[in-house]
Amino acid sequence: MDPDQKSSRQFQNRPLKKKIKTLLLQDDFEKGLSQISDIPARKAINPLFAFLCSLDELLKWRAVTAMGRVVTRLADEDMESARVIMRRCMWHLNDESGGIGWGCPEAMGEIMAGNENLTAEFWCILISYIRPDGNFLEHEILQRGVLWGVGRLAHARPQLLKDSADYLIPYLQAADPYLRGLAAWSSKTLRNKKIDAILRDLTEDTAKLNIFQDGHLMPCSVGQLAQEALDDETDSHPQV
């Protein structure tokens, strides 16, 4: 595409991008999501990718949710196109892309929480980003995103990730309170004896963070998230 064509396309997409931003930030977020879902997926994806790296936290996180909704619907219609979007997320997390990949691991987790077929193909990739022997991401802010994505997927499909629980342990012991808190939140359905012991120590941790749940950014402490994980009895946790 020559520069003139690219500029023309960007100009044409501005009204749609503005519309999607308004829908993401409106008070009735569920209604906004529904309206975004009515937009053809191939038109909605690029604006949503752009919002994944927004400095406005609420806009970024709601774009993550919308990306999950849109790609889940797309997978039902055209699985290969949905795979392309997952690969696009992976590319942005690759050093060769020249970018950082802000929001991409979160989007991957949200998408897979909504679609079992995409989960079967890509869950190992998401886990590999926290594995020292995998595609480990050293950037601390990206690690926060990966932990949220892992947690989102773990809460939706815990049996799939149960053998990956120990990869959370270094994050439960990290200096960054966001990493400790997100690892505690992620471990809720992936607990074992080692993790439970660390979670009990963390219940007194008063460090603060915000976590995105149910369309809202929720202020909490690491200790609260650790206690909630220990209190969770929605599933049987193998004590190994």
Side-chain angles (χ1 to χ4, degrees):
M1 182 185 299
D2 66 45
D4 288 342
Q5 287 177 314
K6 184 176 181 180
S7 177
S8 176
R9 178 168 293 184
Q10 288 173 339
F11 179 78
Q12 292 170 0
N13 287 340
R14 284 177 189 169
L16 178 60
K17 185 176 180 181
K18 184 177 180 180
K19 176 182 178 180
I20 290 176
K21 181 178 181 179
T22 299
L23 293 172
L24 289 173
L25 292 177
Q26 69 181 33
D27 290 339
D28 189 344
F29 179 45
E30 192 58 42
K31 182 178 179 181
L33 273 179
S34 178
Q35 291 179 263
I36 292 170
S37 296
D38 290 336
I39 299 170
R42 290 172 184 82
K43 291 185 177 181
I45 286 299
N46 282 343
L48 290 175
F49 259 111
F51 294 137
L52 290 181
C53 55
S54 175
L55 295 177
D56 181 331
E57 277 198 280
L58 185 61
L59 178 60
K60 170 260 180 86
W61 282 109
R62 288 187 170 183
V64 168
T65 303
M67 182 77 83
R69 185 76 63 90
V70 168
V71 179
T72 294
R73 189 195 73 212
L74 179 61
D76 292 336
E77 303 166 358
D78 183 350
M79 187 64 175
E80 186 53 36
S81 291
R83 291 188 183 104
V84 168
I85 294 167
M86 294 294 285
R87 294 183 192 120
R88 184 173 170 183
C89 289
M90 292 162 56
W91 167 248
H92 284 302
L93 290 166
N94 189 319
D95 289 340
E96 296 177 6
S97 73
I100 300 294
W102 302 123
C104 287
E106 297 97 313
M108 291 176 71
E110 184 69 29
I111 291 166
M112 287 189 284
N115 186 275
E116 189 173 2
N117 292 327
L118 288 172
T119 301
E121 295 185 31
F122 292 99
W123 74 270
C124 288
I125 300 297
L126 185 62
I127 289 295
S128 76
Y129 295 131
I130 63 170
R131 290 183 57 162
D133 60 344
N135 301 308
F136 183 76
L137 296 176
E138 295 185 0
H139 196 296
E140 198 167 84
I141 305 301
L142 278 181
Q143 289 175 357
R144 296 179 184 181
V146 175
L147 286 174
W148 189 92
V150 168
R152 180 71 178 92
L153 182 57
H155 295 171
R157 309 183 192 282
Q159 292 307 308
L160 189 64
L161 302 186
K162 62 181 180 179
D163 292 333
S164 302
D166 284 355
Y167 295 120
L168 295 172
I169 290 176
Y171 299 98
L172 289 166
Q173 301 169 325
D176 178 7
Y178 269 84
L179 295 182
R180 297 197 303 277
L182 286 164
W185 176 75
S186 299
S187 71
K188 183 182 290 189
T189 59
L190 304 178
R191 289 163 36 209
N192 57 39
K193 285 183 178 180
K194 289 181 286 186
I195 287 177
D196 276 5
I198 300 171
L199 288 173
R200 283 192 287 272
D201 289 338
L202 288 177
T203 57
E204 303 300 319
D205 190 329
T206 59
K208 303 296 184 182
L209 68 150
N210 294 322
I211 190 165
F212 184 76
Q213 297 187 83
D214 302 321
H216 301 280
L217 278 166
M218 310 294 292
C220 58
S221 69
V222 174
Q224 285 175 305
L225 293 171
Q227 189 62 60
E228 287 175 10
L230 287 168
D231 290 343
D232 181 70
E233 297 298 340
T234 58
D235 220 336
S236 57
H237 304 292
Q239 298 295 304
V240 295

